[in-house]
Amino acid sequence: MSDEQNLIKEVDEEVRQDNYKRIWNKYKKHIFILIIILITLVVSINVYKLNKQKKIEKQSELFFQAAQYIELEDYQNAKRILEEINYSQTTGYSDLSFLYLIDLVNKKKISLDLNELKIKKNSLFYGLIKLQKFNNEINSNIENIDNLNEIIDLSKPSSNWKYLAHELLSSYYLKKNDLENALQSLNAIINSKDSSEYIRERARTIVEMLKKEK
């Protein structure tokens, strides 16, 4: 390489370094701010994940503690813990707590206004919880049921809970002496190819009993 070429290369390198220094001096504050934001974001995400994991672990401990109280027939302490978990609405244990509380109410182990409990509409168990609550109302407060349309929606063919919904609807209609709608729900189960043999046989038995009573 000639001296002239070396000189041109050195000049280019100096110009490049001067450009870098100029850019750095002009934007260094912005670069520092961006780095701080990125570090803060990463730390915040990690702290959020850690706190969420701690909440899940804590609620898991509380849930199984409540389950132990149920086994020991200490229903009041179980109720207290399950309500605490449900009200927090932070993990899936909140929904499981709702289901356990409904079961305890249905078994008459505790007294509780189920309307005070919380459930998110995007919950995986939303439909099941609504149906269990409806079942409780059929047996205890049938004259004040105000969400019948929601239960009817859960009985539609697209619903994952349609067969349980039809069973409960038939029970509701029978208690209201609405034989036509009760038979309609039972026949929806019997005529379905997707329902289990057990639930179809149960529906057939009820239909046969109703026919004998006519």
Side-chain angles (χ1 to χ4, degrees):
M1 184 178 292
S2 65
D3 292 339
E4 183 178 350
Q5 288 175 322
N6 283 330
L7 179 60
I8 292 172
K9 184 176 180 181
E10 289 176 7
V11 171
D12 285 344
E13 184 64 29
E14 288 179 3
V15 170
R16 191 179 298 111
Q17 289 181 5
D18 287 340
N19 287 335
Y20 288 155
K21 288 179 182 178
R22 196 161 44 249
I23 292 171
W24 172 252
N25 290 331
K26 184 177 181 180
Y27 295 107
K28 62 182 177 182
K29 289 184 179 179
H30 298 83
I31 293 172
F32 279 132
I33 291 172
L34 180 60
I35 291 172
I36 291 171
I37 290 173
L38 288 174
I39 291 173
T40 302
L41 183 62
V42 170
V43 171
S44 298
I45 290 172
N46 287 332
V47 169
Y48 171 78
K49 288 181 178 179
L50 181 61
N51 287 337
K52 185 176 181 180
Q53 184 61 34
K54 286 182 178 179
K55 286 179 181 177
I56 292 173
E57 290 174 358
K58 178 63 176 176
Q59 293 220 323
S60 174
E61 291 174 5
L62 287 172
F63 183 80
F64 286 105
Q65 185 180 352
Q68 288 179 341
Y69 278 130
I70 292 173
E71 287 183 9
L72 295 171
E73 298 184 0
D74 186 351
Y75 300 114
Q76 291 308 311
N77 271 321
K79 172 188 173 184
R80 174 180 55 80
I81 293 174
L82 291 171
E83 283 182 309
E84 178 185 338
I85 296 172
N86 175 257
Y87 293 153
S88 72
Q89 288 293 297
T90 54
T91 69
Y93 285 107
S94 299
D95 300 337
L96 287 174
S97 295
F98 199 137
L99 289 170
Y100 266 62
L101 286 166
I102 292 177
D103 185 57
L104 290 174
V105 170
N106 287 338
K107 291 177 178 177
K108 303 187 184 307
K109 302 300 184 182
I110 61 172
S111 59
L112 178 66
D113 183 358
L114 297 178
N115 290 318
E116 294 179 358
L117 299 179
K118 298 179 180 179
I119 177 66
K120 294 178 180 177
K121 283 200 170 185
N122 61 352
S123 166
L124 181 64
F125 299 108
Y126 181 80
L128 179 59
I129 287 173
K130 283 294 179 181
L131 289 169
Q132 293 291 356
K133 185 170 176 288
F134 180 60
N135 181 46
N136 173 264
E137 291 171 340
I138 290 172
N139 296 315
S140 62
N141 197 24
I142 194 169
E143 298 303 327
N144 293 316
I145 292 175
D146 58 2
N147 65 334
L148 187 61
N149 288 333
E150 189 173 24
I151 305 303
I152 292 172
D153 284 340
L154 289 171
S155 71
K156 291 179 178 178
S158 59
S159 170
N160 293 327
W161 310 104
K162 52 185 174 290
Y163 302 123
L164 178 57
H166 276 302
E167 272 201 319
L168 292 176
L169 282 170
S170 68
S171 177
Y172 168 80
Y173 289 130
L174 286 173
K175 288 196 173 186
K176 299 291 285 186
N177 294 317
D178 185 350
L179 184 60
E180 182 179 349
N181 275 319
L183 287 172
Q184 185 176 337
S185 284
L186 291 167
N187 285 325
I189 297 171
I190 295 169
N191 296 329
S192 173
K193 295 179 180 179
D194 299 325
S195 59
S196 69
E197 182 57 35
Y198 174 74
I199 195 172
R200 282 201 301 271
E201 187 58 35
R202 193 161 57 191
R204 288 192 194 99
T205 301
I206 296 172
V207 170
E208 289 173 3
M209 288 173 58
L210 292 174
K211 287 179 178 178
K212 290 179 182 179
E213 290 178 2
K214 280 187 177 182

